[in-house]
Amino acid sequence: MAETTIKKEAVFAFGKKERKLLTDPLNDNNPITVQVLGICSALAVTTLMKPSIIMAIAVVFVTAFSNLFTSLLRKSIPKEVRMIVQLVIIATLVTVVELTLKAVDYPIYKQLSVFIGLIITNCIVMGRLEAFAMANTPWKSFLDGVGNGMGYGIILIIVSFFRELLGKGSVLGYKLIGSSSEALINTQEVAFMSWYQNNNLMVLPASAMFLIAIMIWVHRSYNQKLIDVS
Amino acid sequence: MRSTRYIYTFVLIMTVVVALVLSSMNTVLKPIHMKNEAIFNKKAILAAVQSQLGDNVKADDLPDDEVLTIFDQNITQYVVDYEGNPVSKEAVIARGYRGGMAEHIDMKKEKKRPVEERFFPVFVYEKNGQKVYIISIRGNGLWDEIWGNIAIKDDFSTVLGASFDHQAETAGLGAEIKDNPEFSKQFEGKSIYDQEGKFTSIVVRKGGAKNPRYEVDAISGATVTCVGVTQMLYDGISNYLPYFESLQ
């Protein structure tokens, strides 16, 4: 009797440990800046902010629920085929995201379709399943998934903010700085700093590499824990 | 170490469950997907005649009902062949496009056929007695296919508008053909013939348009996509020239 009540309390507990599962990936153990995972899609989707935000939400959903389902099944998954089972779980969830997006916002689905499919290959998702969900309880795994998805998403949104601002002079599609692109005749409303010339490098994937490297540098210089003592 | 039998059973059950979940979800959402897709395509066609819809009307922002109303009231659809002759509804259905209207034609499938066998959709937008011919074109960009709709005035020379879309062009570069309204806006008022009456189509010129009659500015950093757009415009519009001649 006593044992079951203790267990019940523990299932959805949200104490210090659980909070750490959520916040750790945002800072000390960020999937992109610390573990350097999921770089591929971080380079590809971050030219504009809107697709990045949708991508971030989709990844949070997929990491959270694939962690949850894998953790629920962790005792019955045969070791020999565990990777394949994990892959099926991820692929199923990605397809669910894709089908839902297609029904809810078709234009965005059209814009993102390739990248949504590529969540399957995102190293963070599989990495968390192997490293965490296979050895932890469902609730903790779920939180870990949400945390890691957000840790990835936040970097995505920051990178895309700078790339869109410096590369296109806009934020979420609204023109903020510089005049409109030099290649086009009809100059529309001139925003702040009209002398600013859009930097085409920012639109290319290489700029995301630079931006992520700068973020890793900034992150490391203020977070003492990350400084490599060895 | 589990027995082989356990592994097989586990995988089998998992596959069946996953297949059931996904296929039932797909079946439930299919009507919504198809409706969304139809509206999306219709909006792309209307985007080409955006300048005719009224001041400050954006085809993208039109509510779904209104898109369907405009299609019902102002648009007549035809299908023509390579020689410019009309194609009957039965022939379109026989090719596998259920519905048999111009809007049901899949340009991706048509593009794979030899050009002499292709069907070409035409949407005639009629308002206040003036007719605008909207044609569909398809070509190749940098990474994958690009396509668009071009609205041509009833003098069969002046372009009234254009809309473009793409499969996988680079966001912020090639994708600007769709994302940047300024790009397609340039096509308004251009002519597909030069001063001497020779067919030129519309040329997307790198470094800026030289002949304002039939050239528009390219997007910097998206050279290959812009070359693709030029090629697509040339091939696509010339496929419709016999039809235009038959109307003149």
PDB file of all heavy atoms in Angstrom, chain A residues 68-94:
ATOM      1  N   LEU A  68       9.337   9.642 -24.672  1.00  0.00           N
ATOM      2  CA  LEU A  68       8.276   9.052 -23.848  1.00  0.00           C
ATOM      3  C   LEU A  68       7.958   7.624 -24.284  1.00  0.00           C
ATOM      4  O   LEU A  68       7.957   6.698 -23.471  1.00  0.00           O
ATOM      5  CB  LEU A  68       7.025   9.933 -23.935  1.00  0.00           C
ATOM      6  CG  LEU A  68       5.786   9.422 -23.200  1.00  0.00           C
ATOM      7  CD1 LEU A  68       5.988   9.511 -21.698  1.00  0.00           C
ATOM      8  CD2 LEU A  68       4.555  10.211 -23.600  1.00  0.00           C
ATOM      9  N   PHE A  69       7.720   7.445 -25.583  1.00  0.00           N
ATOM     10  CA  PHE A  69       7.336   6.114 -26.057  1.00  0.00           C
ATOM     11  C   PHE A  69       8.472   5.109 -25.905  1.00  0.00           C
ATOM     12  O   PHE A  69       8.252   3.963 -25.526  1.00  0.00           O
ATOM     13  CB  PHE A  69       6.852   6.174 -27.517  1.00  0.00           C
ATOM     14  CG  PHE A  69       5.509   6.839 -27.658  1.00  0.00           C
ATOM     15  CD1 PHE A  69       5.314   7.867 -28.564  1.00  0.00           C
ATOM     16  CD2 PHE A  69       4.440   6.442 -26.860  1.00  0.00           C
ATOM     17  CE1 PHE A  69       4.082   8.491 -28.688  1.00  0.00           C
ATOM     18  CE2 PHE A  69       3.202   7.059 -26.973  1.00  0.00           C
ATOM     19  CZ  PHE A  69       3.027   8.087 -27.889  1.00  0.00           C
ATOM     20  N   THR A  70       9.682   5.558 -26.209  1.00  0.00           N
ATOM     21  CA  THR A  70      10.816   4.634 -26.069  1.00  0.00           C
ATOM     22  C   THR A  70      10.968   4.213 -24.616  1.00  0.00           C
ATOM     23  O   THR A  70      11.216   3.048 -24.310  1.00  0.00           O
ATOM     24  CB  THR A  70      12.107   5.301 -26.551  1.00  0.00           C
ATOM     25  OG1 THR A  70      11.872   5.846 -27.824  1.00  0.00           O
ATOM     26  CG2 THR A  70      13.243   4.312 -26.630  1.00  0.00           C
ATOM     27  N   SER A  71      10.788   5.172 -23.714  1.00  0.00           N
ATOM     28  CA  SER A  71      10.939   4.863 -22.300  1.00  0.00           C
ATOM     29  C   SER A  71       9.852   3.908 -21.832  1.00  0.00           C
ATOM     30  O   SER A  71      10.098   2.997 -21.037  1.00  0.00           O
ATOM     31  CB  SER A  71      10.910   6.160 -21.505  1.00  0.00           C
ATOM     32  OG  SER A  71      10.925   5.864 -20.145  1.00  0.00           O
ATOM     33  N   LEU A  72       8.618   4.101 -22.331  1.00  0.00           N
ATOM     34  CA  LEU A  72       7.521   3.195 -21.974  1.00  0.00           C
ATOM     35  C   LEU A  72       7.826   1.777 -22.446  1.00  0.00           C
ATOM     36  O   LEU A  72       7.483   0.796 -21.778  1.00  0.00           O
ATOM     37  CB  LEU A  72       6.212   3.674 -22.602  1.00  0.00           C
ATOM     38  CG  LEU A  72       5.525   4.865 -21.942  1.00  0.00           C
ATOM     39  CD1 LEU A  72       4.391   5.368 -22.825  1.00  0.00           C
ATOM     40  CD2 LEU A  72       4.996   4.497 -20.570  1.00  0.00           C
ATOM     41  N   LEU A  73       8.461   1.657 -23.585  1.00  0.00           N
ATOM     42  CA  LEU A  73       8.725   0.340 -24.171  1.00  0.00           C
ATOM     43  C   LEU A  73      10.103  -0.202 -23.794  1.00  0.00           C
ATOM     44  O   LEU A  73      10.475  -1.294 -24.214  1.00  0.00           O
ATOM     45  CB  LEU A  73       8.644   0.432 -25.703  1.00  0.00           C
ATOM     46  CG  LEU A  73       7.277   0.674 -26.341  1.00  0.00           C
ATOM     47  CD1 LEU A  73       7.443   0.954 -27.824  1.00  0.00           C
ATOM     48  CD2 LEU A  73       6.370  -0.529 -26.133  1.00  0.00           C
ATOM     49  N   ARG A  74      10.876   0.574 -23.013  1.00  0.00           N
ATOM     50  CA  ARG A  74      12.301   0.261 -22.887  1.00  0.00           C
ATOM     51  C   ARG A  74      12.584  -1.141 -22.362  1.00  0.00           C
ATOM     52  O   ARG A  74      13.603  -1.733 -22.701  1.00  0.00           O
ATOM     53  CB  ARG A  74      13.016   1.295 -22.009  1.00  0.00           C
ATOM     54  CG  ARG A  74      12.661   1.240 -20.529  1.00  0.00           C
ATOM     55  CD  ARG A  74      13.306   2.397 -19.796  1.00  0.00           C
ATOM     56  NE  ARG A  74      13.148   2.283 -18.355  1.00  0.00           N
ATOM     57  CZ  ARG A  74      12.035   2.590 -17.712  1.00  0.00           C
ATOM     58  NH1 ARG A  74      10.996   3.021 -18.371  1.00  0.00           N
ATOM     59  NH2 ARG A  74      11.973   2.472 -16.398  1.00  0.00           N
ATOM     60  N   LYS A  75      11.636  -1.660 -21.521  1.00  0.00           N
ATOM     61  CA  LYS A  75      11.902  -2.983 -20.960  1.00  0.00           C
ATOM     62  C   LYS A  75      11.565  -4.105 -21.923  1.00  0.00           C
ATOM     63  O   LYS A  75      12.025  -5.220 -21.772  1.00  0.00           O
ATOM     64  CB  LYS A  75      11.140  -3.151 -19.648  1.00  0.00           C
ATOM     65  CG  LYS A  75      11.848  -2.368 -18.540  1.00  0.00           C
ATOM     66  CD  LYS A  75      11.061  -2.358 -17.263  1.00  0.00           C
ATOM     67  CE  LYS A  75      11.752  -1.435 -16.269  1.00  0.00           C
ATOM     68  NZ  LYS A  75      10.781  -0.792 -15.385  1.00  0.00           N
ATOM     69  N   SER A  76      10.702  -3.802 -22.904  1.00  0.00           N
ATOM     70  CA  SER A  76      10.318  -4.882 -23.817  1.00  0.00           C
ATOM     71  C   SER A  76      11.020  -4.803 -25.167  1.00  0.00           C
ATOM     72  O   SER A  76      10.900  -5.712 -25.975  1.00  0.00           O
ATOM     73  CB  SER A  76       8.798  -4.881 -24.006  1.00  0.00           C
ATOM     74  OG  SER A  76       8.350  -3.592 -24.267  1.00  0.00           O
ATOM     75  N   ILE A  77      11.744  -3.702 -25.406  1.00  0.00           N
ATOM     76  CA  ILE A  77      12.443  -3.605 -26.694  1.00  0.00           C
ATOM     77  C   ILE A  77      13.611  -4.589 -26.713  1.00  0.00           C
ATOM     78  O   ILE A  77      14.477  -4.549 -25.847  1.00  0.00           O
ATOM     79  CB  ILE A  77      12.978  -2.172 -26.933  1.00  0.00           C
ATOM     80  CG1 ILE A  77      11.817  -1.180 -27.064  1.00  0.00           C
ATOM     81  CG2 ILE A  77      13.830  -2.111 -28.204  1.00  0.00           C
ATOM     82  CD1 ILE A  77      12.247   0.255 -27.216  1.00  0.00           C
ATOM     83  N   PRO A  78      13.648  -5.493 -27.694  1.00  0.00           N
ATOM     84  CA  PRO A  78      14.793  -6.418 -27.783  1.00  0.00           C
ATOM     85  C   PRO A  78      16.052  -5.629 -28.135  1.00  0.00           C
ATOM     86  O   PRO A  78      16.034  -4.777 -29.013  1.00  0.00           O
ATOM     87  CB  PRO A  78      14.402  -7.351 -28.940  1.00  0.00           C
ATOM     88  CG  PRO A  78      12.981  -7.047 -29.260  1.00  0.00           C
ATOM     89  CD  PRO A  78      12.681  -5.691 -28.768  1.00  0.00           C
ATOM     90  N   LYS A  79      17.123  -5.902 -27.411  1.00  0.00           N
ATOM     91  CA  LYS A  79      18.380  -5.152 -27.593  1.00  0.00           C
ATOM     92  C   LYS A  79      18.891  -5.215 -29.029  1.00  0.00           C
ATOM     93  O   LYS A  79      19.435  -4.249 -29.549  1.00  0.00           O
ATOM     94  CB  LYS A  79      19.446  -5.756 -26.676  1.00  0.00           C
ATOM     95  CG  LYS A  79      19.816  -4.836 -25.530  1.00  0.00           C
ATOM     96  CD  LYS A  79      21.191  -5.203 -24.975  1.00  0.00           C
ATOM     97  CE  LYS A  79      21.427  -4.558 -23.629  1.00  0.00           C
ATOM     98  NZ  LYS A  79      21.545  -5.550 -22.537  1.00  0.00           N
ATOM     99  N   GLU A  80      18.673  -6.390 -29.643  1.00  0.00           N
ATOM    100  CA  GLU A  80      19.247  -6.594 -30.982  1.00  0.00           C
ATOM    101  C   GLU A  80      18.669  -5.637 -32.023  1.00  0.00           C
ATOM    102  O   GLU A  80      19.338  -5.303 -32.997  1.00  0.00           O
ATOM    103  CB  GLU A  80      19.000  -8.038 -31.447  1.00  0.00           C
ATOM    104  CG  GLU A  80      19.725  -9.086 -30.637  1.00  0.00           C
ATOM    105  CD  GLU A  80      19.014  -9.452 -29.346  1.00  0.00           C
ATOM    106  OE1 GLU A  80      17.990  -8.796 -29.007  1.00  0.00           O
ATOM    107  OE2 GLU A  80      19.461 -10.377 -28.657  1.00  0.00           O
ATOM    108  N   VAL A  81      17.409  -5.243 -31.820  1.00  0.00           N
ATOM    109  CA  VAL A  81      16.791  -4.399 -32.847  1.00  0.00           C
ATOM    110  C   VAL A  81      16.422  -3.019 -32.298  1.00  0.00           C
ATOM    111  O   VAL A  81      15.593  -2.326 -32.871  1.00  0.00           O
ATOM    112  CB  VAL A  81      15.524  -5.075 -33.443  1.00  0.00           C
ATOM    113  CG1 VAL A  81      15.898  -6.274 -34.277  1.00  0.00           C
ATOM    114  CG2 VAL A  81      14.542  -5.421 -32.359  1.00  0.00           C
ATOM    115  N   ARG A  82      17.068  -2.609 -31.188  1.00  0.00           N
ATOM    116  CA  ARG A  82      16.594  -1.387 -30.532  1.00  0.00           C
ATOM    117  C   ARG A  82      16.730  -0.138 -31.418  1.00  0.00           C
ATOM    118  O   ARG A  82      15.845   0.719 -31.423  1.00  0.00           O
ATOM    119  CB  ARG A  82      17.287  -1.177 -29.195  1.00  0.00           C
ATOM    120  CG  ARG A  82      18.760  -0.902 -29.295  1.00  0.00           C
ATOM    121  CD  ARG A  82      19.351  -0.613 -27.945  1.00  0.00           C
ATOM    122  NE  ARG A  82      20.627   0.027 -28.118  1.00  0.00           N
ATOM    123  CZ  ARG A  82      21.713  -0.579 -28.589  1.00  0.00           C
ATOM    124  NH1 ARG A  82      21.671  -1.873 -28.892  1.00  0.00           N
ATOM    125  NH2 ARG A  82      22.836   0.070 -28.735  1.00  0.00           N
ATOM    126  N   MET A  83      17.798  -0.078 -32.196  1.00  0.00           N
ATOM    127  CA  MET A  83      17.972   1.080 -33.071  1.00  0.00           C
ATOM    128  C   MET A  83      16.837   1.183 -34.078  1.00  0.00           C
ATOM    129  O   MET A  83      16.331   2.266 -34.364  1.00  0.00           O
ATOM    130  CB  MET A  83      19.290   0.964 -33.848  1.00  0.00           C
ATOM    131  CG  MET A  83      20.502   1.100 -32.982  1.00  0.00           C
ATOM    132  SD  MET A  83      20.664   2.767 -32.393  1.00  0.00           S
ATOM    133  CE  MET A  83      22.374   3.036 -32.693  1.00  0.00           C
ATOM    134  N   ILE A  84      16.459   0.030 -34.624  1.00  0.00           N
ATOM    135  CA  ILE A  84      15.396   0.029 -35.632  1.00  0.00           C
ATOM    136  C   ILE A  84      14.074   0.431 -34.992  1.00  0.00           C
ATOM    137  O   ILE A  84      13.312   1.226 -35.541  1.00  0.00           O
ATOM    138  CB  ILE A  84      15.308  -1.359 -36.302  1.00  0.00           C
ATOM    139  CG1 ILE A  84      16.612  -1.619 -37.051  1.00  0.00           C
ATOM    140  CG2 ILE A  84      14.128  -1.444 -37.246  1.00  0.00           C
ATOM    141  CD1 ILE A  84      16.854  -3.050 -37.364  1.00  0.00           C
ATOM    142  N   VAL A  85      13.838  -0.086 -33.781  1.00  0.00           N
ATOM    143  CA  VAL A  85      12.610   0.266 -33.084  1.00  0.00           C
ATOM    144  C   VAL A  85      12.576   1.763 -32.822  1.00  0.00           C
ATOM    145  O   VAL A  85      11.568   2.442 -33.075  1.00  0.00           O
ATOM    146  CB  VAL A  85      12.497  -0.527 -31.758  1.00  0.00           C
ATOM    147  CG1 VAL A  85      11.303  -0.041 -30.955  1.00  0.00           C
ATOM    148  CG2 VAL A  85      12.384  -2.007 -32.039  1.00  0.00           C
ATOM    149  N   GLN A  86      13.700   2.314 -32.368  1.00  0.00           N
ATOM    150  CA  GLN A  86      13.761   3.757 -32.116  1.00  0.00           C
ATOM    151  C   GLN A  86      13.492   4.537 -33.397  1.00  0.00           C
ATOM    152  O   GLN A  86      12.750   5.522 -33.398  1.00  0.00           O
ATOM    153  CB  GLN A  86      15.147   4.140 -31.577  1.00  0.00           C
ATOM    154  CG  GLN A  86      15.398   3.627 -30.178  1.00  0.00           C
ATOM    155  CD  GLN A  86      16.875   3.635 -29.823  1.00  0.00           C
ATOM    156  OE1 GLN A  86      17.700   4.086 -30.607  1.00  0.00           O
ATOM    157  NE2 GLN A  86      17.197   3.143 -28.645  1.00  0.00           N
ATOM    158  N   LEU A  87      14.076   4.074 -34.456  1.00  0.00           N
ATOM    159  CA  LEU A  87      13.914   4.763 -35.730  1.00  0.00           C
ATOM    160  C   LEU A  87      12.447   4.757 -36.178  1.00  0.00           C
ATOM    161  O   LEU A  87      11.934   5.755 -36.691  1.00  0.00           O
ATOM    162  CB  LEU A  87      14.789   4.095 -36.789  1.00  0.00           C
ATOM    163  CG  LEU A  87      15.236   4.973 -37.930  1.00  0.00           C
ATOM    164  CD1 LEU A  87      16.019   6.160 -37.403  1.00  0.00           C
ATOM    165  CD2 LEU A  87      16.089   4.190 -38.905  1.00  0.00           C
ATOM    166  N   VAL A  88      11.788   3.613 -35.952  1.00  0.00           N
ATOM    167  CA  VAL A  88      10.373   3.533 -36.334  1.00  0.00           C
ATOM    168  C   VAL A  88       9.554   4.513 -35.509  1.00  0.00           C
ATOM    169  O   VAL A  88       8.682   5.209 -36.035  1.00  0.00           O
ATOM    170  CB  VAL A  88       9.848   2.085 -36.171  1.00  0.00           C
ATOM    171  CG1 VAL A  88       8.339   2.049 -36.316  1.00  0.00           C
ATOM    172  CG2 VAL A  88      10.500   1.174 -37.182  1.00  0.00           C
ATOM    173  N   ILE A  89       9.862   4.592 -34.211  1.00  0.00           N
ATOM    174  CA  ILE A  89       9.122   5.526 -33.351  1.00  0.00           C
ATOM    175  C   ILE A  89       9.327   6.964 -33.845  1.00  0.00           C
ATOM    176  O   ILE A  89       8.374   7.731 -34.003  1.00  0.00           O
ATOM    177  CB  ILE A  89       9.575   5.386 -31.883  1.00  0.00           C
ATOM    178  CG1 ILE A  89       9.134   4.033 -31.335  1.00  0.00           C
ATOM    179  CG2 ILE A  89       8.996   6.513 -31.035  1.00  0.00           C
ATOM    180  CD1 ILE A  89       9.669   3.710 -29.966  1.00  0.00           C
ATOM    181  N   ILE A  90      10.571   7.313 -34.121  1.00  0.00           N
ATOM    182  CA  ILE A  90      10.855   8.676 -34.589  1.00  0.00           C
ATOM    183  C   ILE A  90      10.145   8.935 -35.921  1.00  0.00           C
ATOM    184  O   ILE A  90       9.469   9.947 -36.093  1.00  0.00           O
ATOM    185  CB  ILE A  90      12.376   8.894 -34.771  1.00  0.00           C
ATOM    186  CG1 ILE A  90      13.097   8.712 -33.436  1.00  0.00           C
ATOM    187  CG2 ILE A  90      12.655  10.287 -35.307  1.00  0.00           C
ATOM    188  CD1 ILE A  90      14.603   8.636 -33.575  1.00  0.00           C
ATOM    189  N   ALA A  91      10.271   7.988 -36.848  1.00  0.00           N
ATOM    190  CA  ALA A  91       9.680   8.185 -38.177  1.00  0.00           C
ATOM    191  C   ALA A  91       8.174   8.338 -38.080  1.00  0.00           C
ATOM    192  O   ALA A  91       7.571   9.162 -38.778  1.00  0.00           O
ATOM    193  CB  ALA A  91      10.040   7.012 -39.084  1.00  0.00           C
ATOM    194  N   THR A  92       7.551   7.550 -37.184  1.00  0.00           N
ATOM    195  CA  THR A  92       6.100   7.655 -37.012  1.00  0.00           C
ATOM    196  C   THR A  92       5.724   9.053 -36.542  1.00  0.00           C
ATOM    197  O   THR A  92       4.828   9.694 -37.093  1.00  0.00           O
ATOM    198  CB  THR A  92       5.611   6.632 -35.974  1.00  0.00           C
ATOM    199  OG1 THR A  92       6.143   5.367 -36.305  1.00  0.00           O
ATOM    200  CG2 THR A  92       4.116   6.575 -35.925  1.00  0.00           C
ATOM    201  N   LEU A  93       6.443   9.536 -35.512  1.00  0.00           N
ATOM    202  CA  LEU A  93       6.112  10.853 -34.981  1.00  0.00           C
ATOM    203  C   LEU A  93       6.344  11.954 -36.006  1.00  0.00           C
ATOM    204  O   LEU A  93       5.553  12.895 -36.104  1.00  0.00           O
ATOM    205  CB  LEU A  93       6.946  11.130 -33.722  1.00  0.00           C
ATOM    206  CG  LEU A  93       6.495  10.322 -32.512  1.00  0.00           C
ATOM    207  CD1 LEU A  93       7.562  10.310 -31.437  1.00  0.00           C
ATOM    208  CD2 LEU A  93       5.204  10.895 -31.955  1.00  0.00           C
ATOM    209  N   VAL A  94       7.409  11.820 -36.776  1.00  0.00           N
ATOM    210  CA  VAL A  94       7.681  12.831 -37.796  1.00  0.00           C
ATOM    211  C   VAL A  94       6.556  12.837 -38.832  1.00  0.00           C
ATOM    212  O   VAL A  94       6.102  13.892 -39.270  1.00  0.00           O
ATOM    213  CB  VAL A  94       9.055  12.588 -38.456  1.00  0.00           C
ATOM    214  CG1 VAL A  94       9.238  13.474 -39.665  1.00  0.00           C
ATOM    215  CG2 VAL A  94      10.166  12.855 -37.466  1.00  0.00           C
TER     216      VAL A  94
END
